[in-house]
Amino acid sequence: LDELPEMWNVLIGDMSVVGPRPLLMRYVSRYSPFQTRRMEVKPGVTGWAQVNGLRGDTDLAARAQHDIYYIENWSLWLDVQIILLTFARWRGTNGY
C-alpha cells in the first residue's frame, strides 16, 4: 500500500518499475561521481540493490555499487529477475 503513490509515478512516466531507488536531492552534493551515475536512469519502485540487501543492512556505497551494476548490465531478463526476487522477498517478510 505504501508503494501506491510510486505506482502512480510509474503510470505517468516519472519512474520505472525497476531501477535505482529515487535519490534524496539534498544528499546529491555528497555523492561521488561514481555514485551520481545512478541518476542516468529513471528511478524505480524496486531495484538490484533492494533485492541484494535490506536498506539497514547495506550502506550507501554498497547500494550505489548495486545500482551501477544494474545500469551497466541492464536487460529485460535482469528486470524480470528483480521483479521475481522482489515478490519473493515481500512474501517472505509478510509470512506467506
Side-chain angles (χ1 to χ4, degrees):
L1 194 58
D2 60 334
E3 302 297 336
L4 198 54
E6 290 180 341
M7 293 311 290
W8 173 253
N9 288 326
V10 170
L11 290 173
I12 64 173
D14 290 343
M15 288 180 71
S16 178
V17 173
V18 179
R21 293 292 295 158
L23 302 173
L24 295 174
M25 296 311 290
R26 65 178 177 236
Y27 296 124
V28 171
S29 64
R30 298 181 191 175
Y31 294 154
S32 71
F34 176 78
Q35 292 170 325
T36 58
R37 290 204 51 215
R38 299 166 71 200
M39 298 171 67
E40 293 176 7
V41 298
K42 282 186 183 180
V45 177
T46 188
W48 190 241
Q50 284 65 47
V51 298
N52 282 289
L54 298 174
R55 181 168 278 180
D57 293 342
T58 57
D59 62 8
L60 177 64
R63 289 192 303 272
Q65 197 83 36
H66 287 302
D67 288 339
I68 302 306
Y69 173 87
Y70 170 78
I71 292 167
E72 293 177 345
N73 296 281
W74 179 87
S75 70
L76 184 57
W77 175 239
L78 182 56
D79 278 2
V80 169
Q81 287 178 300
I82 292 169
I83 291 168
L84 292 173
L85 287 167
T86 298
F87 280 114
R89 285 190 136 207
W90 178 78
R91 288 190 69 190
T93 60
N94 287 303
Y96 295 100

